[in-house]
Amino acid sequence: VGFSTGQRVVTVQKGPLYRVRGSHITLWCKVSGYQGPAEQNFQWSIYLPSAPEREVQIVSTVDPSFPYAIYTQRVRSRGIYVERVQGDAVLLHITELQDRDAGEYECHTPNTDERYFGSYSAKTNLSVIADTLSASMAPQVLTHTEGDMVDLTCEVSKSTAQHTHLSVGWYHLQEAREHHAEEVLTLSKDFVLSPGPSYLQRFLAGDVQLNKVGNTTYKLSISGVQLLDQGQLYCEAAEWIEDPDETWKDISHKQTGRTSLVVMSWGRDLSVDIAAADSSLSEGDTLQLDCTVGSQKSSSRHFQVLWLFDSVEVARVDPKGVLIWEEEYEKRAKLGQVRAFKQSNVVYVLTIYEVGLKDNGMYQCSVSEVRTPGDFHSIQTNLSSGIQVNVKPKGYRMRLSVSTSTPQVVAGDALILLCEVQGATSPVSVQWWHLPLEHPGPQVLVATMEQDGTLSLGSTYRDSRTRGSLRLEKARSGAFTLVIPNTLDEGDSGRYWCKATEWSRGQSWTEEGDTAVRVSSMAGLGLQATLRSRIATITYGNSFELVCQVSANYSLKEVPMSVGWFFQPGPPTGHYHELVQVFPSGTVSWGAAQPHFQGKVQLMKTATSFRLHIHSAMAADEGTYQCEVEVWRRNTVPLGQPAATARSNAVGIKVVLPESKLRVATKESSVEIASGADTTIECRIMSAQNNSQFAVTWYLLPAPVEATPMQIIRADYSSILEYGAEFSSPAQKSRFLSQRVSSTVFWLQILSANPRDQGRYYCVVEEWLWLGDGWYKLGEELSGRTMLELKVPGEQALQLEKANHSISAREGEDATLHCLLQGAPLPATHLSATWFRGEDSLLTLHCDGTIEYPWESLAGRLYLRRPAAGDFSLTLSRVEGGDAGVYHCQVEEWQQLSEEKGWVLQALAHSGYTQLTTVP
């Protein structure tokens, strides 16, 4: 417990305050000079501009029932809450500020002092303004090499009427730290540049800068971009306003989209290629090999090149262009038989004049990068692929040609490749190789036939279950045919190489050639399914047929196909049910969602189409149909995922129900009876479909003409009764009866008719028919109207006070509304009274003293105290805001004729009107 000899002082954040719509805001409040517990309680209220004198309670730290209804839900969901900073200080949080939150806020502290002394509340004003801050940057992907300059621009603007400042900052996200943004550089609201910790040194060196280059444009410049800059960069803007206490508050934040920055290392981009003008030579020809280096900024870098023959170094050229030969080649160089030189910093040349059989083999070049010309430690090294050089003896006559009869096929079709060798004088071995088109890499061995005819397959082609059993045959002298029975997919596209080797006296010479093949995926060759129906509107009971036509940019002959039929009942719901699936084997699988189709559907198939024939259409068949076709590779068992799938267009089918033949008597009539008598209103059906059932609904159209019809009672086609809201009380149900007199005649019986029963009566007849799968409404007709009038005695026998009054009552208090009969009624008089608010009946006092409440919710608050026989005044207890309105009463005099004939209305009278106004 803390004590103070001073007076209590409540302090709240100084206003006026301006905050942005939709933002999370706080208001602080603290109390000092208090007595009692160290932990004080706080209550927040608001005075709205529309009612500046009326307190609206928001939230309390002590009383959960403190909030008014308009704030209850937001307080319960913690959209508004109080955070206790310490025992005598709190923050009011509004997590999403709304326009209606503008007003004068009051912070109140309940008294804990021995006596009232000081201030117990304080107020501040809060205005809600629009969020006009905008920040944008075009999202892009930038690729740079280490050391490059990177510029990024961000557009930031605002149009707030109040004086505000902007801050603009750039942030960096590394891929490994996706949710942790690192500050690059920020221009504060005070126009001060502030770098993030990781960019401090680079900012001081001038390598990271932020400049405003226009009214709304801010540019970030990074000189000498580094690998650690790789990731995502974005711009964030904040709008600041100075509060009356001279502190600055950020009222809005906006973040742009992200730009991806890829930084490549300049020292890891080395590529090496080797090429020969001609690699198939005869003795005495000249061989020239070019080694090309690919890299960024190659002119300023230093390379060393090695020439290799069958993996053995032949010569090297250092970064300065100095040439060093191995011993054997140095001798040949002195004789002018070989030459190597640096043509440029990226092109190196090796030339062998008058090649001999000893120059047969594999040639490569290796390139190493060093930091300086005299440096012996390489940064990186890369080795080219090899070139096989074939040197043939003089008089060599072997020639080779490669062709295919299947240059373009669809996955699943066979490939047939021919390699013809001519001029060979010795036995020949043949190898087939594949170089894929989509993912080029090393060649893949397909098959080999040795000189003696022995056949072997490459590892990728040994499993006959993937591409079938490959065949490599020698059709005739020098003709070698390769057959791949079943291509797998687009990966079988590319170039197929035939390499023929002739062997003689321990030496060999190889010729090679290739041909290109394109294997297309079924999915990429325009598989289409088109659904059509000869007629779209079907009469109930007739049959209809849907045709699913399949087409593609390749032959569908012997292609395994399945079809699925789908149905969406009308009206469309967006979800299709599977009706049936027909597999390539002919197996049929029925869906469970629409079982009624199974017994009435016929399925048919041709080479390129599927048919769905539906017999005896009924209403449940109306909706939208689709077909889906799946195909597999030719010459394969259709297992697993299909090679291609196509979904057809949707076709809507409408089923027309039998036409209604309903006709109802429409002749107008009138009935006049004495009050209290019984009467019958007739509804007669003139014609209808055979086997129809009828639902009959009776309506009363009270005077005046523009009144709304009231439903009395409905008897559906199963004779189940349903009363309207105005006729659902037990008393009304006992007086209004529905009766079916014959198959075409219905009666509405009205017992003990009273003046409120007067009006025009009519029936609405609905024709229903059972159509195999349910009851369907074919149509409806309205009857003619019957006017019911009562012979009512005049009002001279009863006289009520006719003066109009206006009264007001405070919410929670009682109010009495007067209804006084002028003159004392005779002792034998039987009176009833009804109170109305507007046109609605509130209660009725019957002759026998019973009271009927049409509105049960009001039953506990309405009282007829009857201090005198002629006083029917109504007391309304605990007045509520919704009780306001215009009230009046109606008094009726009744006479009992006999036990059999019942009661007859003798007279009635209406009071004047009383206007009730409620005060909060």
Side-chain angles (χ1 to χ4, degrees):
V1 180
F3 295 95
S4 173
T5 58
Q7 64 178 9
R8 177 183 289 256
V9 176
V10 176
T11 310
V12 73
Q13 190 167 344
K14 189 177 180 181
L17 301 172
Y18 295 91
R19 296 295 186 261
V20 166
R21 180 191 311 122
S23 63
H24 183 144
I25 69 114
T26 59
L27 299 175
W28 60 259
C29 179
K30 58 186 177 182
V31 61
S32 61
Y34 56 88
Q35 297 177 344
E39 186 172 282
Q40 293 287 294
N41 284 307
F42 294 80
Q43 295 174 333
W44 287 89
S45 302
I46 187 173
Y47 296 83
L48 300 172
S50 57
E53 301 301 323
R54 182 182 181 188
E55 177 188 6
V56 180
Q57 298 173 180
I58 301 176
V59 64
S60 167
T61 60
V62 63
D63 184 4
S65 64
F66 183 78
Y68 276 14
I70 61 172
Y71 287 103
T72 301
Q73 182 56 39
R74 294 174 71 185
V75 172
R76 285 178 181 170
S77 63
R78 288 188 64 80
I80 298 176
Y81 64 94
V82 176
E83 176 191 0
R84 188 178 291 281
V85 180
Q86 55 190 45
D88 53 9
V90 296
L91 283 174
L92 172 67
H93 288 260
I94 302 177
T95 60
E96 188 174 350
L97 193 64
Q98 303 176 11
D99 287 329
R100 61 175 177 164
D101 293 330
E104 185 178 42
Y105 283 76
E106 181 179 45
C107 174
H108 174 75
T109 60
N111 182 36
T112 60
D113 308 332
E114 293 180 353
R115 61 191 180 92
Y116 280 91
F117 184 46
S119 66
Y120 288 81
S121 65
K123 296 181 179 179
T124 188
N125 271 296
L126 173 67
S127 295
V128 180
I129 59 177
D131 186 358
T132 65
L133 179 63
S134 169
S136 63
M137 177 178 66
Q140 55 187 322
V141 177
L142 301 177
T143 301
H144 285 275
T145 305
E146 282 182 289
D148 286 353
M149 165 74 80
V150 175
D151 287 328
L152 296 173
T153 58
C154 174
E155 296 291 330
V156 179
S157 64
K158 64 180 179 69
S159 57
T160 309
Q162 289 71 29
H163 176 71
T164 59
H165 286 190
L166 291 176
S167 64
V168 178
W170 291 87
Y171 293 86
H172 175 234
L173 277 170
Q174 290 184 334
E175 294 178 0
R177 307 177 71 186
E178 172 69 22
H179 303 292
H180 179 71
E182 182 180 30
E183 182 184 8
V184 179
L185 188 57
T186 298
L187 178 64
S188 74
K189 66 181 185 304
D190 304 316
F191 313 108
V192 176
L193 286 171
S194 172
S198 300
Y199 289 85
L200 176 59
Q201 294 302 321
R202 297 167 68 185
F203 168 72
L204 295 175
D207 292 337
V208 178
Q209 299 180 10
L210 196 161
N211 295 297
K212 187 176 182 183
V213 295
N215 289 335
T216 61
T217 305
Y218 296 79
K219 183 170 75 170
L220 174 71
S221 299
I222 302 176
S223 301
V225 68
Q226 301 176 8
L227 289 176
L228 56 82
D229 296 324
Q230 180 160 299
Q232 293 182 323
L233 292 160
Y234 65 88
C235 169
E236 183 172 289
E239 186 173 8
W240 299 75
I241 193 167
E242 187 176 19
D243 286 343
D245 62 2
E246 298 185 350
T247 62
W248 285 86
K249 171 63 180 173
D250 51 331
I251 58 174
S252 179
H253 287 261
K254 290 294 167 63
Q255 192 178 109
T256 67
R258 299 176 182 180
T259 286
S260 293
L261 176 62
V262 179
V263 181
M264 296 192 307
S265 170
W266 67 271
R268 298 291 183 272
D269 59 344
L270 195 62
S271 66
V272 182
D273 292 311
I274 190 170
D278 189 359
S279 61
S280 183
L281 306 170
S282 298
E283 286 181 291
D285 289 345
T286 297
L287 170 65
Q288 179 176 315
L289 299 171
D290 294 333
C291 181
T292 304
V293 182
S295 66
Q296 298 282 337
K297 300 181 179 179
S298 58
S299 61
S300 60
R301 295 164 70 172
H302 310 286
F303 305 112
Q304 176 175 270
V305 176
L306 274 65
W307 287 101
L308 305 173
F309 173 58
D310 286 342
S311 301
V312 177
E313 182 180 335
V314 171
R316 76 172 57 201
V317 181
D318 73 8
K320 295 179 180 180
V322 177
L323 173 64
I324 303 173
W325 289 102
E326 288 302 309
E327 183 178 354
E328 179 184 347
Y329 282 83
E330 186 174 6
K331 295 177 182 178
R332 296 179 66 180
K334 289 178 179 179
L335 297 172
Q337 295 176 357
V338 295
R339 181 187 177 206
F341 64 95
K342 177 180 177 179
Q343 182 172 303
S344 69
N345 203 39
V346 294
V347 179
Y348 299 80
V349 180
L350 172 66
T351 305
I352 302 177
Y353 302 100
E354 297 184 5
V355 295
L357 296 180
K358 63 181 178 181
D359 295 318
N360 237 357
M362 181 73 68
Y363 289 82
Q364 292 173 285
C365 64
S366 171
V367 178
S368 301
E369 182 179 9
V370 294
R371 295 190 183 277
T372 61
D375 194 351
F376 293 103
H377 299 287
S378 62
I379 300 173
Q380 59 177 326
T381 300
N382 204 347
L383 180 67
S384 73
S385 58
I387 285 187
Q388 178 68 45
V389 173
N390 292 312
V391 180
K392 308 174 190 68
K394 290 182 179 179
Y396 178 82
R397 296 193 303 274
M398 187 172 77
R399 294 292 180 269
L400 179 146
S401 64
V402 181
S403 61
T404 178
S405 58
T406 54
Q408 292 189 356
V409 296
V410 177
D413 292 348
L415 279 184
I416 302 174
L417 305 164
L418 177 63
C419 180
E420 292 187 280
V421 180
Q422 298 175 336
T425 58
S426 302
V428 173
S429 63
V430 172
Q431 286 184 336
W432 280 98
W433 296 79
H434 175 220
L435 182 63
L437 181 66
E438 298 296 334
H439 306 287
Q443 293 182 345
V444 178
L445 179 64
V446 180
T448 300
M449 178 178 283
E450 302 294 347
Q451 300 160 266
D452 59 1
T454 304
L455 178 65
S456 61
L457 300 178
S459 59
T460 307
Y461 295 83
R462 289 172 188 164
D463 189 351
S464 61
R465 292 173 297 179
T466 56
R467 293 178 176 82
S469 299
L470 268 69
R471 302 193 307 275
L472 177 52
E473 301 170 342
K474 187 175 182 180
R476 59 185 185 275
S477 177
F480 299 86
T481 303
L482 174 67
V483 178
I484 302 177
N486 183 10
T487 48
L488 192 59
D489 52 30
E490 293 167 306
D492 286 341
S493 297
R495 307 197 74 82
Y496 285 82
W497 294 76
C498 174
K499 297 183 179 181
T501 303
E502 182 179 7
W503 300 82
S504 177
R505 293 175 292 180
Q507 287 191 320
S508 63
W509 296 271
T510 301
E511 292 288 338
E512 61 182 53
D514 67 278
T515 186
V517 169
R518 183 78 181 185
V519 180
S520 301
S521 166
M522 287 183 165
L525 286 179
L527 180 68
Q528 289 187 329
T530 304
L531 185 62
R532 65 179 191 274
S533 173
R534 189 170 58 85
I535 48 177
T537 302
I538 314 298
T539 303
Y540 174 85
N542 289 349
S543 299
F544 65 95
E545 185 174 84
L546 297 165
V547 179
C548 182
Q549 188 69 43
V550 186
S551 61
N553 297 333
Y554 51 88
S555 170
L556 293 171
K557 185 178 180 181
E558 298 179 0
V559 171
M561 280 191 286
S562 73
V563 66
W565 292 96
F566 296 86
F567 173 65
Q568 177 181 242
T573 61
H575 178 67
Y576 279 85
H577 304 294
E578 184 181 40
L579 295 183
V580 62
Q581 183 89 11
V582 183
F583 296 98
S585 62
T587 304
V588 175
S589 173
W590 291 91
Q594 299 287 334
H596 77 275
F597 279 97
Q598 188 167 351
K600 52 184 286 183
V601 165
Q602 182 179 0
L603 301 165
M604 293 165 282
K605 179 184 182 300
T606 66
T608 58
S609 68
F610 299 88
R611 295 174 183 267
L612 179 76
H613 190 92
I614 298 178
H615 298 274
S616 304
M618 53 188 183
D621 300 335
E622 181 173 309
T624 307
Y625 292 79
Q626 276 189 323
C627 65
E628 184 177 78
V629 177
E630 297 177 333
V631 298
W632 283 262
R633 289 186 296 127
R634 205 187 321 267
N635 305 320
T636 60
V637 178
L639 298 174
Q641 290 296 319
T645 302
R647 190 93 172 212
S648 77
N649 56 297
V651 170
I653 296 294
K654 181 174 179 59
V655 178
V656 180
L657 300 179
E659 184 180 355
S660 173
K661 297 182 179 179
L662 178 64
R663 297 292 180 272
V664 177
T666 57
K667 184 178 179 180
E668 304 281 327
S669 61
S670 62
V671 176
E672 186 178 29
I673 61 173
S675 178
D678 301 340
T679 189
T680 298
I681 310 294
E682 182 180 272
C683 179
R684 181 178 294 274
I685 297 171
M686 310 303 293
S687 65
Q689 286 270 12
N690 292 333
N691 303 320
S692 291
Q693 296 295 325
F694 305 103
V696 178
T697 306
W698 289 96
Y699 290 91
L700 166 60
L701 187 61
V705 176
E706 63 271 11
T708 303
M710 297 186 295
Q711 179 183 324
I712 304 170
I713 187 173
R714 169 184 168 83
D716 69 7
Y717 56 78
S718 302
S719 299
I720 296 175
L721 300 181
E722 177 188 353
Y723 280 85
E726 294 86 353
F727 295 84
S728 58
S729 66
Q732 294 287 70
K733 287 182 178 180
S734 65
R735 292 200 310 112
F736 289 87
L737 306 175
S738 176
Q739 182 180 0
R740 182 169 185 169
V741 181
S742 68
S743 60
T744 58
V745 177
F746 297 81
W747 283 355
L748 174 67
Q749 292 183 300
I750 305 173
L751 307 181
S752 303
N754 62 54
R756 291 189 296 276
D757 300 336
Q758 295 183 105
R760 287 159 293 170
Y761 289 79
Y762 65 93
C763 67
V764 175
V765 181
E766 301 168 7
E767 183 179 15
W768 291 78
L769 193 63
W770 176 262
L771 297 178
D773 62 325
W775 287 95
Y776 289 87
K777 179 180 173 181
L778 302 186
E780 68 176 35
E781 289 277 331
L782 275 71
S783 72
R785 297 175 180 178
T786 298
M787 172 63 78
L788 175 62
E789 296 179 306
L790 299 187
K791 301 174 184 176
V792 180
E795 296 191 7
Q796 65 274 12
L798 290 176
Q799 294 294 325
L800 288 176
E801 183 182 339
K802 292 288 188 178
N804 296 329
H805 302 279
S806 294
I807 65 172
S808 64
R810 187 175 298 278
E811 290 180 6
E813 296 180 351
D814 295 349
T816 299
L817 313 172
H818 294 290
C819 179
L820 300 174
L821 194 63
Q822 295 180 350
L826 297 174
T829 302
H830 297 281
L831 300 175
S832 69
T834 301
W835 271 97
F836 297 89
R837 181 174 66 208
E839 299 295 328
D840 297 328
S841 170
L842 299 179
L843 67 76
T844 299
L845 171 66
H846 295 288
C847 299
D848 58 2
T850 60
I851 296 180
E852 177 184 350
Y853 296 95
W855 302 89
E856 294 185 6
S857 60
L858 295 175
R861 297 199 297 117
L862 301 178
Y863 299 97
L864 287 176
R865 304 205 182 271
R866 302 292 306 280
D871 190 345
F872 296 94
S873 297
L874 174 69
T875 297
L876 182 60
S877 68
R878 302 186 305 281
V879 168
E880 299 176 357
D883 295 333
V886 178
Y887 293 76
H888 75 280
C889 73
Q890 173 181 298
V891 178
E892 300 169 348
E893 181 181 350
W894 296 81
Q895 179 184 0
Q896 187 175 23
L897 299 178
S898 65
E899 288 291 339
E900 294 78 15
K901 294 185 178 182
W903 294 82
V904 168
L905 181 67
Q906 293 293 103
L908 63 85
H910 294 272
S911 73
Y913 292 93
T914 299
Q915 173 75 51
L916 173 62
T917 304
T918 60
V919 179

